Amino acid sequence: MKLSQFKFNLPESLVANNPSEQRDEARLMVLHKDSGKIEHKIFKDVLDYFDDQDVMILNNTKVFPARLYGNKEKTGATIEVFLLRELNKELRLWDVLVDPARKIRVGNKLYFGDDDLLVAEVVDNTTSRGRTIRFLFDGTDEEFRKNIEILGETPLPKYIKRKATAQDKERYQTIFAKHEGAVAAPTAGLHFSRELMKRLELKGVNFAEVTLHVGLGTFRSVEVEDLTKHKMDSEQFIIEQKDADIVNLGIERKKKICAVGTTSMRAIESAVSSGRMLKPANDWTSKFIFPPYDFSIANSMITNFHTPESTLLMMVSAFGGYDYVRHAYEVALKEKYRFYSYGDAMLII
């Protein structure tokens, strides 16, 4: 398939800048693959589509406050440092993106916080905006993390044209987030409230958790027309044996296996056994899923509405069928569904 096949015009007014008032009250579009029917619901209605012993696979990664603002030595110029991932805990080496990049060179010292709570030194150039920095900090790892927590800002995507608030700290995080390491939320999971989880549980739905630490590579734009030539960035994922067992039992029972979000889907599709079952893993994946693709584990999926020409839209099109998903997006635009991280949801069954 070609990149141009995933183009569509998205009005600025449909980009969600804020979450819905209640987590489970965003809108929900339901796509029925067998009949081609489309329904318009509220997210909490997801309860009506799942039964006893069905399985939902959740990504329990936790977003950390990855966006730091500081000053450059000598000039005092304001700089933004976006923490991507820790490269070495002992040396406090981090892979980061910097802005404005042209002003930040190897050897520069960067200061964060009113009383220079953290100081870092640029030790390498990795890409045009990428740098490796070393934090010059003598305290414990716990103290270091606390300082990041104090200084860091919730890493809202750039298309949300406002400053992050205290509300975002809670709402740009799933209620089942456990393992810190993501620089973006697994957004399909943001719609689950505690009450909805309880009601699904009472109905007999089983939850399996995977961890995939979402990096910015998930959102990196595709710059080649021939999709087979696009390379995804690697992201770390972990699947425990107990969670693989829950999923595999659901497969054996011929139940609904629902991947909650593209990140959960990418994790499970990166750990398929020769018998097309889910296996435990602790690995990195750069799997890129686009049509046509034969899915092995999930037979249903919850996702948000994605950016034109994004790898996320490509995966959803592979799962739902290109023409059907294309039509659903036309309906979503007409019905004014809200798009992106804080937007509305889609269930494909």
Side-chain angles (χ1 to χ4, degrees):
M1 292 206 82
K2 302 280 184 263
L3 176 64
S4 49
Q5 291 173 270
F6 295 91
K7 249 194 182 118
F8 65 92
N9 289 323
L10 179 67
E12 190 76 21
S13 60
L14 296 187
V15 175
N17 274 304
N18 293 285
S20 55
E21 205 161 305
Q22 302 297 328
R23 282 184 186 269
D24 56 14
E25 287 181 0
R27 292 167 78 192
L28 176 70
M29 180 186 279
V30 184
L31 273 60
H32 296 263
K33 284 204 284 185
D34 54 352
S35 65
K37 188 168 85 168
I38 290 177
E39 295 181 287
H40 304 287
K41 301 283 184 175
I42 299 296
F43 191 79
K44 59 171 74 164
D45 297 333
V46 85
L47 192 67
D48 300 337
Y49 298 90
F50 291 89
D51 292 306
D52 188 33
Q53 298 179 344
D54 286 342
V55 180
M56 284 187 168
I57 303 168
L58 311 170
N59 183 3
N60 65 15
T61 187
K62 191 173 185 181
V63 180
F64 66 95
R67 187 172 277 126
L68 300 175
Y69 292 98
N71 302 95
K72 199 179 138 191
E73 66 174 332
K74 295 182 184 146
T75 63
T78 302
I79 44 109
E80 179 188 312
V81 172
F82 195 101
L83 303 175
L84 290 177
R85 65 176 179 219
E86 191 172 39
L87 300 172
N88 186 305
K89 197 183 278 257
E90 283 69 42
L91 297 175
R92 303 206 197 284
L93 283 178
W94 282 76
D95 193 8
V96 304
L97 293 177
V98 293
D99 196 20
R102 61 197 159 76
K103 294 186 175 172
I104 300 172
R105 299 188 176 92
V106 172
N108 285 162
K109 282 206 173 71
L110 312 173
Y111 297 88
F112 304 94
D114 294 340
D115 49 359
D116 300 339
L117 197 57
L118 286 176
V119 180
E121 183 182 11
V122 182
V123 295
D124 195 13
N125 281 347
T126 50
T127 62
S128 59
R129 285 186 58 215
R131 303 287 184 273
T132 301
I133 66 171
R134 179 172 58 235
F135 284 99
L136 311 172
F137 187 78
D138 291 332
T140 64
D141 191 56
E142 200 181 330
E143 289 165 336
F144 174 69
R145 300 271 161 190
K146 199 173 167 189
N147 287 351
I148 295 284
E149 195 67 39
I150 292 164
L151 296 169
E153 198 178 85
T154 302
L156 291 182
K158 286 283 192 189
Y159 55 73
I160 293 181
K161 305 277 194 285
R162 61 174 178 79
K163 292 282 278 178
T165 65
Q167 185 203 27
D168 293 310
K169 198 168 184 174
E170 181 212 339
R171 292 298 301 273
Y172 195 65
Q173 193 82 271
T174 63
I175 60 165
F176 41 79
K178 280 183 192 151
H179 304 297
E180 197 170 83
V183 299
T187 54
L190 296 178
H191 301 292
F192 286 83
S193 64
R194 283 187 172 77
E195 187 195 8
L196 178 59
M197 297 274 288
K198 196 76 207 153
R199 290 174 73 193
L200 284 162
E201 224 173 273
L202 290 171
K203 209 169 174 187
V205 174
N206 293 317
F207 296 105
E209 295 186 5
V210 299
T211 306
L212 182 137
H213 292 313
V214 190
L216 285 186
T218 294
F219 309 99
R220 195 181 297 288
S221 53
V222 180
E223 288 166 355
V224 285
E225 178 66 3
D226 178 356
L227 298 186
T228 60
K229 295 193 163 54
H230 177 68
K231 295 282 181 285
M232 293 284 282
D233 291 20
S234 282
E235 292 168 315
Q236 187 184 17
F237 76 103
I238 299 158
I239 299 171
E240 305 280 358
Q241 182 70 59
K242 63 179 172 53
D243 296 293
D245 291 344
I246 292 168
V247 172
N248 292 334
L249 189 57
I251 293 172
E252 283 163 14
R253 288 170 170 163
K254 297 189 166 32
K255 294 293 178 179
K256 275 200 191 86
I257 310 295
C258 181
V260 177
T262 56
T263 58
S264 296
M265 186 70 88
R266 194 155 68 256
I268 60 178
E269 284 298 315
S270 301
V272 181
S273 74
S274 54
R276 291 172 75 90
M277 301 296 263
L278 186 61
K279 59 185 185 186
N282 187 339
D283 208 347
W284 291 76
T285 180
S286 52
K287 194 170 197 57
F288 176 30
I289 297 173
F290 59 94
Y293 181 86
D294 183 20
F295 289 82
S296 297
I297 306 294
N299 52 25
S300 57
M301 178 182 196
I302 293 171
T303 187
N304 277 23
F305 288 91
H306 302 295
T307 333
E309 300 184 311
S310 64
T311 59
L312 309 175
L313 174 58
M314 291 164 194
M315 181 196 286
V316 174
S317 300
F319 189 77
Y322 174 80
D323 293 331
Y324 189 26
V325 170
R326 179 99 195 166
H327 170 61
Y329 267 61
E330 284 164 9
V331 173
L333 293 169
K334 194 162 141 272
E335 297 291 330
K336 297 196 168 17
Y337 274 74
R338 298 160 79 240
F339 278 67
Y340 302 172
S341 298
Y342 274 151
D344 295 317
M346 176 187 276
L347 167 63
I348 306 175
I349 48 175

